[in-house]
Amino acid sequence: MLQKIVLWTHKRTSNWQQMPDWLSSLLVILLAFLIGALFIIAIGASPLAAYGALLRAAFGSVNGFAETMIKACPLLLAGLGISLAYRAQFWNIGAEGQIYAGGVCAAIVGLYLHGLPTFAHITLTLLAGMIGGALLGFFPALFKVRLGVNEMITTLMLNYVVIQVVAYLLHGPLRDQASGITISPQLLKSAWLPIVVERTRFHLGVLLAVGLALLIHWFIYRTVLGYQIRASGENRRAARVGGIRVNWVIIWTVLLSSALAGLAGAVEVSGVQHRLVEDFSPGYGYLAIAVALLGNLEPVRVIFSSILFAALLNGADAMQRAAAVPVPVIYVIEGVVIVLVAVSIFRRKGSL
Amino acid sequence: APATPTPAAETKKVRVALVLDGKIDDNGWNQAAYEGLKEAEAQHGVEIAYSEEIPIPDYEKALRDYASQGYDLIIAHSSIAKEAVMNTAKDYPKIAFLWTDGDETRENLAVIRPMAQEASYLAGLLAGKITKSNIVGMVGGIDIPSTHRSYAAFEMGLKEANPEAKLLVNWVGSFLDVAAGKEAALSQIEAGADVIFGNGDGQNIGVLQAAGEKNVLAIGAVRDQFNVAPNVVLTSVEWGFRKGIAEVVGDYVAGKFSGKVYEIGLAHGADLSPYHENASKIPEDVQNLIKEKRQQIIDGKLSIPDISSAQ
Amino acid sequence: MLDQIFSVVFLTGFLAATLRMATPILITALGEMIAERSGILNLGIEGIMVLGAFVGFWVSYQSGDLWQGFLWGGLAGGIIGALMGIVSVRFHANQIVTGLGIWILCQGLSSFLNRRIFGISSVRPQLPTLPAIPIPGLSKIPILGETLFNQNIIVYGTLLLIPLFIYFLRQTSWGLHLSAVGENPRAADAAGLRVEWIRFLATTFGGMMAGWGGAYLPIAFYGLYTDDLAVGRGWMAIAVVAFGRWSPLGMLAGALIFGASSALQYRLQAMNFPLPYQFLLMLPFLITLIFVVLFVRGGGGPAALAKPYIRTQSE
Amino acid sequence: MMSDKSPSVIVMRGITKRFGSVVANDNVFFTLQKGEIHGLLGENGAGKTTLMNILYGLHQPDSGEILINGVHSHIKSPHDAIARGIGMVHQHFMQVPTFTVIDNVILGLQPFYRPALDRRHARQRLLEIAHLYGLSIDPDAYIWQLSVGDRQRVEIIKALYRNVRILILDEPTSVLTPQESEDLFHTLRRLVENGLSVVFITHNLEEALAITDRITVLRNGKAMATLPSVHATKEELASLMVGRQVLFDIPTLDLPDVSVNEVLSVEKLSVKGDRGSLAVRTVSFSVHQGEIVGIAGVDGNGQSELIQVLAGLRAPYEGRFFIKGREMTNASPREILQAGVGYIPENLEDALIPSFSLLENAVLDTHYTPPFSRNGVLDFRNIVRHARALIQSHDVRVPDEMAKAAVLSGGNKQKFIVARALARNPQLLIAAHPTRGIDIGAEEYIRNLLLQKRKEGMAILLVSTKLDEIMSLSDRILVMERGRIMGEMLREEATIERIGMLMAGSEA
Ligand SMILES: Nc1ncnc2c1ncn2[C@@H]1O[C@H](COP(=O)(O)OP(=O)(O)OP(=O)(O)O)[C@@H](O)[C@H]1O
Ligand SMILES: Nc1ncnc2c1ncn2[C@@H]1O[C@H](COP(=O)(O)OP(=O)(O)OP(=O)(O)O)[C@@H](O)[C@H]1O
Ligand SMILES: [Mg+2]
Ligand SMILES: [Mg+2]
């Protein structure tokens, strides 16, 4: 029986493979929203109102777009980092922890370095975030290269460890003593990323992230180290034969990768929260994996996939308020969209 | 004061929105607020809306979204969303805001401060009197101000009632992880605890369940949790969000809203739950002691300090 | 403190908790190992566990029969596994993205069904859980007896699965085919194996085991369902597979180490161990990390893991 | 010899297969008769592998039909092909390296409903087959431990174990020593005696003439002719393949230029192999400027490990080696390349990044040096120029330099790698099987090129399993056997017999 079903999808889908790319992608995404509509109807809400709210919230106003972009920002930065690591076949799933590490380091510099001019203070704050992220990435990279330790485990375990460290810091050393709650004091104003679009939260970090994406595109395709990252990932042995110091390259790649994730945390702290709070990343580090892969590890395409994800998250969130769609249904829609988008993008080519 | 938001005209229904960082069915913190909202709807005929699982980075967006949709009263039910609440309240001076367990008010921003320390102190007395092994356990969710306040007052009551008693403390690092709550409680029971105070949310279900299975007396929290393990749950330290939120909404509807601190103490529903079928397990004199102390607190003769910061 | 640690009560409780916490992770990890050996990395098992937990609870509750619930928990997982299989095998969709999507989808689905069926009430429906079955004689051995021979039947079953899996992988053609497909799908294809079909079946099976791993939680231990009952156990299972280097015995060790360090963590806290509790909470992950760095080296797993196989495409 | 009346077991009619703009097979007509060995010849990229992949179900033709024993057959997958009695030994072996020989052989054979493995029985049957056809193999060895020759035998045993009636061999001899090739031919003859039919793809015309019954020549995807081997000549085949006359003169070597300039000197080098035992045992030799030193030997006797050490890819166990007087014993590949070494690895997979364009592959070993990069940034103008030059000068058949390396035919990959190594103008070239899988035209070209480079002063260490190549190119010949150098001789002293004796392990 099962075999029949599989054979059936085989037959059905072979025509589909001849379709132009854009058309089938569109159909697949439509299908995802149709499936979502069934759930929305099931809870007695209106799919049209819900999807209208989704689009309006994501792109319908200056503020909506700004919110989409500030959400895209950490996804983009961490996604860029993940793209680099995955190109070198280093399966970093520690971006979440690296985001937290970056956030903590940025917060410390933003809180305690007094008397700096704004530009210098912001630069140092972001730099601190990058160093924090990179530090966390360094050990899994070193263990992998020197001892052959599986990086998926080490990076995943470090996520849990770091999140507890952040919790500890917020209960103890970094806690705002004046406040009754477990948050750090506000960063000094000189460490705040400036707002770019008046009356929104659109901060400079967004532009920085987009600029970095272009830079990294150039870096991957036009520089020696970029070439070596790609070569080491695609064929380690051949890279070695060509005289590339593969281990050296992997360590640098992971440092860059985790520094970018750390930067995502720093930007979130100094651009949005202006202080360190627990849970300031609701799983950006995991979503960024999907963002990077849906962008096919191409920096410029990662810009678009991060915006797509941010729009989806923002818009879906707005469906709660505009159309009373409960959160479980929103998760179902998000999940279906992610799975089906993966299908539409990768069906022709092998991924990775 | 003129800047105080005025309730809408009689003909129009008052619209109240609630923003939660967790789910409405989390068995604790968020569910209590949701139930408060429902109660307000039932009692005061307001129109309600809510958003669940709003992570901290999106909190402000959600608040602003409701504000721009013209909601009259917007409730932020998260102590750490400080920036979000303060910024939005500042930008929408005509709209009333309520921040539960917050630490700062504005003219249009009221704060609910649950005085859980009072009931927790009474619970501590109860535990101290009733323990036979002189070992009492406390399993907390996350060590945040509200749970810490409860923990500190519980310990105070315990030590007062029974200076010999030892308090075992476990924090499970989650308000949702039932499994972790259960494991922590089991480990305390193994260590000899014969009364367990579950101080938190969803994870409390696991705590009380463990007590139920091992037949060890237990005290719940946040809401009346008797049903989780009717054989052992003596009472629960209710936080009173449910009543508190309904009360603030009622004030708003009655035009009495102001940016003040609502201290929700014993008289406002932040109380010990009834003993239900387990009253017989509590000796008469202990029941009387608690009754007495409770009255003293209500009358202002006894004040329980709010120790809400973790060391 | 030391005398506390070496007391009989402590050791018995500690060992029993270790096994109890290792079991659902191990069940899930065994299934994931099968999927991964075929070359499919299913990152969605965290979500599948949640769904399995819900369906397991729901069916048990409706039917009053824990075994029916357990069965259906696995079947629900199998259906999602099959979905993962079709999407990643047939459509060559990126497995990591698909897995993350399935994770979110299942979380939503379980929570959606839970609210539809049980509503939002202050009284959680509860079930009696599977009883422990003491094995006569053996369960009387001090410490170990209570731990090993006084558990519920699923724990025994999972332990029995270990030799079964070893036999399956080493001594059967199915095991051989499975590994061939994950190591070198082109060679397997050239040998006449149906690569796609085998991968599909393996992923479905992996989903089913994850469903069972999830169903274990309400049925064998908690007697109720909440959305977060399974939190993190699916991710841990993925780590355990790599920890055990895709071998059942290694995975048993990995699951036990994690279970033991969790059990230890709770007990250290209960002894009022003088360390901020956050550091005790990170202990299980830290200990796992240390074990990996010290003892588990090399071996990146099946060569074709997470790589879609497309016959006409030269690599 | 075959009579024309033999029934055709395979008829492929009007087969066309396109890959994008490349027409790999163009309306090909091909028949295979019962009990024949049918040679398939053609230049690199002519479409031989593609045609056989279609027959084996790995590719679907765009048009055309296949008849097996007169019956129309749609071969959807290798599974179908095997079910119809077709087996194939690929240019790149289709084996699971982490499995033992037995497990590879029985893979896919057991019916679904009887999963329990009976390895004892399988071992017995495997050994019987091996004995019957003269194929020696250790059934319990892991594939990754085996030499290429062994792996080839495993592939043949795999097919025979499946009772194939039709066996396709894609360039089976390009990795074998003459002795191993001879063994293979014996085996093939025994196969056809037992009624099997064989398709044999090769670039070696003599071999083709000697072993096959009929020959089909492909050129640019088209079948040029099918002719009985008895009537064919090398010249005729060559011109059918290439479309022009090919000269078969062995270029004359001038006297060895006994230069005193030692470029490579190896001192008592020992190397551990993957199996942990010593693969190279206290080997010493040297290579001088303007000299070609050939290492002969059956594959798997330590040559691979030796050159891997010299390329910096493997750590030596004991001993030292020097390049131009500088000790490089523990140097990295980069340092060795920078000391003026060019390296052609024995596996093409180890020299190309499949998903990279030829453009990027062209500078794999030089991208970090000027003029291809400056201050860490690649200079594509120079890279393009360089890549085009490589492709043109070595006649690499590709659409353009943007094509991915993965789509090149086996021989074209090899040409590209040789071109790249020589373009570095190294002082020492370490060349493993430089003409492996290359068609006769290109082979001639590369051999001439090596001789010319030698004349210009390059020192060349040549490892090859082709004895004629070793004997026609080397000034000095070393014979390796079980990790030791069994003998050393000048070219004048070398005879096939003498080398053969040494290779077999007996002191001459
Ligand atoms: N999968 C593929 N995708 C694109 N082009 C291909 C593919 N396979 C083969 N080709 C192209 O088809 C042509 C024929 O290739 P094929 O491998 O059949 O040649 P061949 O005769 O076996 O050559 P060689 O002697 O070098 O092995 C070549 O131009 C090759 O580049
Ligand atoms: N892949 C590379 N690309 C460009 N420059 C490099 C590269 N690798 C190393 N370098 C340069 O060479 C310097 C020396 O590097 P390193 O010490 O890692 O070499 P190594 O010890 O020989 O490496 P290995 O032993 O891993 O081959 C580096 O600081 C760097 O400037
Ligand atoms: Mg070929
Ligand atoms: Mg070095």
Side-chain angles (χ1 to χ4, degrees):
Chain A
M1 181 57 201
L2 270 176
Q3 186 160 16
K4 273 203 188 125
I5 294 174
V6 170
L7 286 178
W8 182 81
T9 59
H10 243 277
K11 277 200 208 106
R12 287 290 121 174
T13 51
S14 36
N15 297 337
W16 183 58
Q17 304 237 340
Q18 322 292 319
M19 241 183 250
D21 257 338
W22 64 268
L23 183 61
S24 55
S25 296
L26 201 70
L27 283 180
V28 162
I29 293 175
L30 272 180
L31 177 68
F33 282 100
L34 263 168
I35 296 175
L38 294 182
F39 281 87
I40 296 179
I41 292 170
I43 51 104
S46 147
L48 279 183
Y51 290 145
L54 188 150
L55 281 179
R56 232 172 307 120
F59 300 113
S61 65
V62 174
N63 191 52
F65 182 68
E67 287 293 329
T68 298
M69 289 311 289
I70 60 171
K71 194 162 203 83
C73 182
L75 291 176
L76 173 55
L77 286 170
L80 288 172
I82 287 168
S83 305
L84 279 179
Y86 283 20
R87 287 227 174 219
Q89 307 256 329
F90 185 90
W91 306 111
N92 179 13
I93 39 181
E96 183 75 358
Q98 290 149 13
I99 287 176
Y100 275 100
V104 169
C105 293
I108 292 173
V109 169
L111 279 169
Y112 300 120
L113 269 192
H114 288 271
L116 284 176
T118 305
F119 177 77
H121 200 186
I122 291 176
T123 310
L124 284 180
T125 303
L126 297 186
L127 217 58
M130 295 178 71
I131 291 172
L135 223 57
L136 201 65
F138 176 70
F139 294 98
L142 190 73
F143 292 150
K144 158 114 177 171
V145 160
R146 287 268 163 253
L147 307 173
V149 175
N150 185 305
E151 70 273 23
M152 273 203 179
I153 313 184
T154 48
T155 52
L156 181 68
M157 293 302 118
L158 279 177
N159 286 349
Y160 294 106
V161 172
V162 170
I163 286 168
Q164 290 303 332
V165 170
V166 173
Y168 166 72
L169 290 175
L170 281 178
H171 279 86
L174 283 185
R175 177 160 183 190
D176 183 3
Q177 297 303 335
S179 153
I181 51 193
T182 46
I183 53 181
S184 81
Q186 263 194 349
L187 306 197
L188 301 173
K189 285 265 176 1
S190 55
W192 291 20
L193 277 169
I195 298 290
V196 180
V197 181
E198 288 285 302
R199 305 228 258 134
T200 68
R201 298 197 292 165
F202 193 107
H203 54 73
L204 192 63
V206 179
L207 300 183
L208 181 72
V210 173
L212 272 176
L214 300 177
L215 186 70
I216 289 169
H217 178 88
W218 174 83
F219 168 76
I220 287 183
Y221 288 106
R222 295 282 141 146
T223 67
V224 170
L225 187 55
Y227 178 99
Q228 296 184 340
I229 290 172
R230 289 183 294 132
S232 308
E234 297 281 351
N235 187 344
R236 206 188 138 85
R237 287 175 62 96
R240 260 167 67 73
V241 167
I244 296 173
R245 298 166 164 105
V246 176
N247 287 346
W248 186 91
V249 170
I250 287 180
I251 291 202
W252 272 106
T253 312
V254 178
L255 286 179
L256 281 177
S257 162
S258 43
L260 281 164
L263 182 61
V267 165
E268 195 63 19
V269 165
S270 94
V272 183
Q273 300 300 322
H274 301 148
R275 62 169 94 228
L276 190 66
V277 295
E278 269 179 85
D279 297 339
F280 73 84
S281 164
Y284 287 146
Y286 298 107
L287 275 181
I289 297 174
V291 165
L293 289 167
L294 284 179
N296 210 18
L297 311 184
E298 298 281 353
V300 176
R301 286 173 62 180
V302 175
I303 300 179
F304 293 103
S305 66
S306 68
I307 295 176
L308 178 85
F309 262 81
L312 182 66
L313 294 177
N314 258 355
D317 188 29
M319 294 197 303
Q320 286 201 68
R321 293 186 284 279
V325 178
V327 90
V329 173
I330 289 172
Y331 286 151
V332 171
I333 296 174
E334 283 172 5
V336 172
V337 170
I338 293 174
V339 170
L340 288 183
V341 168
V343 169
S344 76
I345 291 190
F346 292 104
R347 75 201 156 82
R348 246 164 239 264
K349 46 188 307 297
S351 51
L352 298 182
Chain B
T4 310
T6 43
E10 287 291 304
T11 47
K12 231 185 95 209
K13 266 192 172 181
V14 169
R15 297 165 77 206
V16 182
L18 169 67
V19 178
L20 300 168
D21 59 8
K23 286 183 176 170
I24 55 172
D25 52 353
D26 71 346
N27 296 304
W29 173 267
N30 293 292
Q31 190 164 339
Y34 173 74
E35 284 167 2
L37 189 69
K38 287 300 237 188
E39 198 159 312
E41 182 186 32
Q43 283 180 12
H44 308 296
V46 296
E47 189 183 316
I48 61 163
Y50 63 91
S51 284
E52 305 169 71
E53 290 239 272
I54 303 300
I56 290 310
D58 297 341
Y59 216 89
E60 185 167 337
K61 182 158 52 82
L63 294 176
R64 283 177 186 275
D65 204 1
Y66 280 128
S68 64
Q69 286 181 34
Y71 276 81
D72 302 298
L73 172 62
I74 299 171
I75 307 168
H77 191 53
S78 165
S79 60
I80 63 171
K82 179 164 183 165
E83 245 58 82
V85 178
M86 299 310 294
N87 291 342
T88 319
K90 195 174 77 195
D91 288 356
Y92 289 91
K94 294 232 146 54
I95 293 174
F97 290 85
L98 170 63
W99 182 18
T100 50
D101 209 12
D103 68 343
E104 205 176 325
T105 58
R106 293 176 57 86
E107 267 176 305
N108 63 331
L109 170 63
V111 157
I112 284 185
R113 185 161 303 148
M115 307 283 282
Q117 68 268 30
E118 297 172 350
S120 304
Y121 163 78
L122 299 180
L125 289 179
L126 172 61
K129 289 288 178 202
I130 214 153
T131 175
K132 296 204 173 68
S133 64
N134 280 349
I135 302 178
V136 172
M138 194 262 347
V139 179
I142 303 177
D143 188 7
I144 61 170
S146 36
T147 44
H148 198 89
R149 187 185 291 140
S150 216
Y151 152 57
F154 179 84
E155 186 168 30
M156 193 179 130
L158 176 72
K159 290 279 147 81
E160 187 182 312
N162 181 352
E164 304 282 278
K166 185 174 153 196
L167 182 63
L168 308 180
V169 179
N170 271 63
W171 295 100
V172 300
S174 158
F175 282 123
L176 302 167
D177 196 338
V178 180
K182 187 162 184 176
E183 285 300 338
L186 287 175
S187 70
Q188 293 186 342
I189 294 167
E190 276 163 29
D194 65 349
V195 182
I196 308 260
F197 172 36
N199 175 17
D201 270 1
Q203 111 281 347
N204 244 16
I205 296 186
V207 177
L208 301 182
Q209 222 183 36
E213 276 171 26
K214 301 283 174 189
N215 230 331
V216 164
L217 296 174
I219 298 167
V222 184
R223 304 172 309 127
D224 185 352
Q225 294 190 306
F226 170 75
N227 284 311
V228 178
N231 59 332
V232 294
V233 176
L234 298 174
T235 180
S236 304
V237 173
E238 292 192 45
W239 285 8
F241 281 123
R242 187 179 161 143
K243 281 196 187 154
I245 285 177
E247 184 180 329
V248 177
V249 174
D251 277 2
Y252 183 87
V253 172
K256 290 192 294 189
F257 179 87
S258 71
K260 65 173 183 185
V261 173
Y262 283 79
E263 290 198 336
I264 307 282
L266 288 179
H268 296 265
D271 205 344
L272 283 186
S273 321
Y275 302 135
H276 300 287
E277 283 121 66
N278 288 325
S280 60
K281 293 184 181 149
I282 308 170
E284 202 75 20
D285 58 324
V286 178
Q287 290 197 23
N288 287 335
L289 173 74
I290 289 171
K291 215 180 277 172
E292 202 173 293
K293 293 279 182 185
R294 181 174 181 275
Q295 199 52 47
Q296 284 179 10
I297 295 172
I298 292 176
D299 297 343
K301 287 183 203 138
L302 177 63
S303 131
I304 310 301
D306 174 1
I307 305 171
S308 60
S309 68
Q311 280 86 38
Chain C
M1 190 160 287
L2 276 182
D3 52 320
Q4 275 173 309
I5 291 185
F6 290 110
S7 77
V8 170
V9 181
F10 178 92
L11 279 181
T12 311
F14 168 72
L15 291 175
T18 298
L19 210 53
R20 198 160 61 217
M21 280 184 270
T23 301
I25 293 176
L26 189 57
I27 298 176
T28 307
L30 283 171
E32 173 72 4
M33 179 266 288
I34 296 292
E36 288 190 18
R37 278 208 176 219
S38 84
I40 304 289
L41 177 66
N42 183 358
L43 291 188
I45 55 171
E46 167 83 14
I48 298 179
M49 280 186 88
V50 176
L51 187 68
F54 174 74
V55 173
F57 173 76
W58 175 34
V59 176
S60 304
Y61 189 79
Q62 296 294 339
S63 65
D65 178 358
L66 292 177
W67 285 112
Q68 265 189 48
F70 193 65
L71 184 75
W72 280 97
L75 290 182
I79 290 171
I80 302 292
L83 174 73
M84 172 82 195
I86 289 179
V87 168
S88 57
V89 173
R90 172 67 197 120
F91 296 116
H92 314 298
N94 181 288
Q95 294 169 19
I96 296 175
V97 179
T98 309
L100 291 169
I102 280 186
W103 170 38
I104 298 173
L105 170 69
C106 288
Q107 300 261 15
L109 200 60
S110 318
S111 167
F112 171 79
L113 291 173
N114 182 37
R115 288 189 191 180
R116 290 239 94 187
I117 293 163
F118 295 104
I120 296 162
S121 69
S122 45
V123 186
R124 289 272 155 196
Q126 290 197 44
L127 286 173
T129 51
L130 282 179
I133 302 175
I135 293 182
L138 292 176
S139 61
K140 293 284 174 312
I141 306 170
I143 301 177
L144 276 185
E146 176 72 15
T147 310
L148 279 176
F149 304 109
N150 191 15
Q151 296 277 2
N152 67 58
I153 190 159
I154 299 179
V155 175
Y156 296 138
T158 307
L159 292 178
L160 283 181
L161 276 183
I162 302 282
L164 212 66
F165 268 59
I166 293 174
Y167 175 81
F168 169 84
L169 290 172
R170 293 207 191 133
Q171 301 299 341
T172 69
S173 62
W174 297 356
L176 207 60
H177 296 172
L178 185 74
S179 310
V181 160
E183 285 290 342
N184 188 346
R186 198 162 291 277
D189 192 6
L193 299 181
R194 297 171 197 275
V195 176
E196 299 200 335
W197 184 232
I198 293 172
R199 287 185 162 188
F200 170 78
L201 284 179
T203 314
T204 306
F205 178 79
M208 193 157 73
M209 293 287 284
W212 276 326
Y216 169 91
L217 297 166
I219 288 174
F221 200 52
Y222 300 107
L224 54 77
Y225 171 80
T226 70
D227 286 347
D228 294 87
L229 198 60
V231 277
R233 288 174 181 78
W235 293 110
M236 210 52 225
I238 289 171
V240 161
V241 175
F243 187 108
R245 297 174 71 174
W246 293 265
S247 89
L249 273 181
M251 287 160 51
L252 176 67
L256 287 177
I257 287 169
F258 181 74
S261 38
S262 305
L264 181 68
Q265 179 270 119
Y266 292 117
R267 280 157 186 77
L268 286 179
Q269 278 203 49
M271 288 172 192
N272 294 348
F273 194 81
L275 202 65
Y277 77 94
Q278 291 92 351
F279 291 93
L280 293 173
L281 285 179
M282 71 173 78
L283 203 63
F285 305 103
L286 211 55
I287 290 181
T288 307
L289 189 68
I290 291 168
F291 265 87
V292 171
V293 171
L294 290 183
F295 301 114
V296 187
R297 293 176 182 176
L305 184 58
K307 296 193 182 109
Y309 173 61
I310 304 173
R311 180 183 288 157
T312 52
Q313 181 174 296
S314 44
E315 51 260 31
Chain D
M1 275 301 111
M2 299 302 311
S3 78
D4 281 354
K5 276 177 232 107
S6 299
S8 291
V9 285
I10 297 286
V11 177
M12 298 179 82
R13 214 182 269 155
I15 300 289
T16 298
K17 177 71 187 176
R18 288 190 188 81
F19 292 108
S21 61
V22 177
V23 186
N25 287 150
D26 187 355
N27 198 17
V28 172
F29 183 85
F30 175 84
T31 62
L32 178 66
Q33 289 171 354
K34 188 169 163 49
E36 77 166 337
I37 299 181
H38 192 130
L40 198 53
L41 266 57
E43 281 184 295
N44 294 131
K48 305 177 293 290
T49 300
T50 305
L51 186 68
M52 288 302 112
N53 278 344
I54 289 174
L55 181 57
Y56 194 57
L58 280 168
H59 287 313
Q60 297 305 311
D62 297 328
S63 62
E65 55 180 7
I66 301 173
L67 281 73
I68 301 176
N69 296 319
V71 184
H72 271 276
S73 301
H74 181 45
I75 306 170
K76 291 191 296 290
S77 67
H79 189 86
D80 287 358
I82 293 167
R84 290 174 166 83
I86 302 172
M88 180 159 176
V89 178
H90 296 266
Q91 213 163 351
H92 306 128
F93 302 136
M94 299 281 191
Q95 289 160 345
V96 184
T98 51
F99 282 12
T100 59
V101 170
I102 289 203
D103 286 355
N104 267 285
V105 167
I106 59 177
L107 187 65
L109 283 183
Q110 224 138 347
F112 175 76
Y113 49 85
R114 262 219 331 265
L117 288 176
D118 185 355
R119 288 201 177 86
R120 185 131 43 104
H121 174 80
R123 178 184 288 104
Q124 209 173 355
R125 169 127 193 266
L126 189 156
L127 289 174
E128 272 165 22
I129 291 173
H131 182 73
L132 181 64
Y133 295 104
L135 300 154
S136 76
I137 198 76
D138 170 9
D140 296 311
Y142 284 94
I143 294 294
W144 58 265
Q145 301 178 317
L146 299 182
S147 70
V148 226
D150 288 339
R151 292 184 64 174
Q152 172 127 73
R153 281 192 285 279
V154 174
E155 284 295 272
I156 295 175
I157 291 173
K158 226 165 96 180
L160 296 175
Y161 198 95
R162 283 165 172 70
N163 292 318
V164 297
R165 306 304 297 159
I166 296 153
L167 184 62
I168 305 164
L169 298 152
D170 193 354
E171 296 190 31
T173 52
S174 65
V175 290
L176 299 185
T177 55
Q179 186 50 50
E180 284 178 317
S181 297
E182 231 7 89
D183 294 344
L184 175 68
F185 296 155
H186 280 297
T187 307
L188 295 186
R189 289 208 182 86
R190 267 188 242 178
L191 291 176
V192 289
E193 276 163 24
N194 285 325
L196 273 76
S197 316
V198 174
V199 181
F200 187 87
I201 301 178
T202 182
H203 289 295
N204 187 325
L205 301 185
E206 274 137 38
E207 235 175 54
L209 289 171
I211 180 88
T212 63
D213 301 306
R214 292 194 306 157
I215 292 175
T216 293
V217 179
L218 293 183
R219 191 205 309 166
N220 286 332
K222 293 194 185 63
M224 300 309 292
T226 298
L227 56 170
S229 311
V230 270
H231 304 313
T233 64
K234 261 172 85 171
E235 288 71 18
E236 187 187 355
L237 291 175
S239 67
L240 273 172
M241 281 163 60
V242 188
R244 65 178 163 87
Q245 290 292 310
V246 181
L247 301 170
F248 287 99
D249 303 338
I250 303 173
T252 45
L253 279 179
D254 27 5
L255 280 172
D257 190 0
V258 193
S259 149
V260 282
N261 285 338
E262 210 178 50
V263 178
L264 170 69
S265 124
V266 176
E267 287 178 7
K268 297 194 177 131
L269 199 65
S270 294
V271 185
K272 278 197 172 162
D274 288 338
R275 274 163 276 189
S277 56
L278 278 185
V280 175
R281 297 155 194 263
T282 44
V283 160
S284 305
F285 65 93
S286 60
V287 185
H288 300 85
Q289 204 179 350
E291 181 187 37
I292 300 183
V293 173
I295 297 185
V298 178
D299 217 353
N301 275 280
Q303 303 97 314
S304 319
E305 288 83 357
L306 173 63
I307 60 168
Q308 279 171 9
V309 168
L310 298 182
L313 296 166
R314 187 185 277 274
Y317 178 61
E318 267 173 352
R320 304 189 295 174
F321 71 93
F322 300 83
I323 292 170
K324 288 188 297 174
R326 243 179 77 208
E327 175 159 5
M328 301 298 270
T329 313
N330 286 306
S332 67
R334 160 86 61 105
E335 287 159 339
I336 289 177
L337 288 173
Q338 281 176 339
V341 174
Y343 179 53
I344 301 170
E346 54 176 348
N347 270 325
L348 342 145
E349 286 81 11
D350 290 350
L352 292 174
I353 314 283
S355 63
F356 276 21
S357 63
L358 290 180
L359 195 66
E360 289 173 305
N361 269 301
V363 290
L364 183 61
D365 54 355
T366 41
H367 64 277
Y368 45 83
T369 55
F372 304 118
S373 66
R374 256 174 258 279
N375 304 322
V377 180
L378 297 171
D379 183 340
F380 273 95
R381 196 143 10 121
N382 290 330
I383 294 177
V384 170
R385 202 175 300 144
H386 179 66
R388 289 204 179 130
L390 287 189
I391 291 170
Q392 273 157 21
S393 67
H394 286 69
D395 189 27
V396 181
R397 303 274 169 89
V398 280
D400 59 60
E401 71 271 4
M402 293 310 292
K404 287 189 174 173
V407 306
L408 260 62
S409 78
N412 279 310
K413 282 181 188 155
Q414 182 72 21
K415 284 197 271 185
F416 186 79
I417 294 165
V418 172
R420 188 177 67 196
L422 287 175
R424 297 173 57 87
N425 243 326
Q427 279 154 299
L428 170 67
L429 178 72
I430 302 173
H433 318 287
T435 59
R436 176 181 284 180
I438 283 187
D439 65 40
I440 38 163
E443 177 168 0
E444 179 195 339
Y445 173 80
I446 287 176
R447 288 188 183 175
N448 277 323
L449 199 62
L450 292 180
L451 289 173
Q452 190 197 326
K453 292 286 179 191
R454 159 185 173 276
K455 204 164 168 188
E456 291 167 10
M458 192 183 286
I460 299 177
L461 180 65
L462 173 71
V463 173
S464 177
T465 44
K466 294 179 186 171
L467 273 193
D468 66 323
E469 182 161 285
I470 295 269
M471 290 178 53
S472 64
L473 295 184
S474 316
D475 299 305
R476 267 187 308 138
I477 297 167
L478 310 175
V479 183
M480 273 189 89
E481 196 266 336
R482 276 189 279 162
R484 261 186 281 268
I485 292 186
M486 291 298 290
E488 175 176 346
M489 65 201 84
L490 294 177
R491 186 163 66 104
E492 295 81 0
E493 308 162 357
T495 61
I496 297 234
E497 291 70 33
R498 183 161 171 215
I499 297 178
M501 294 280 283
L502 289 168
M503 276 165 56
S506 49
E507 310 271 349

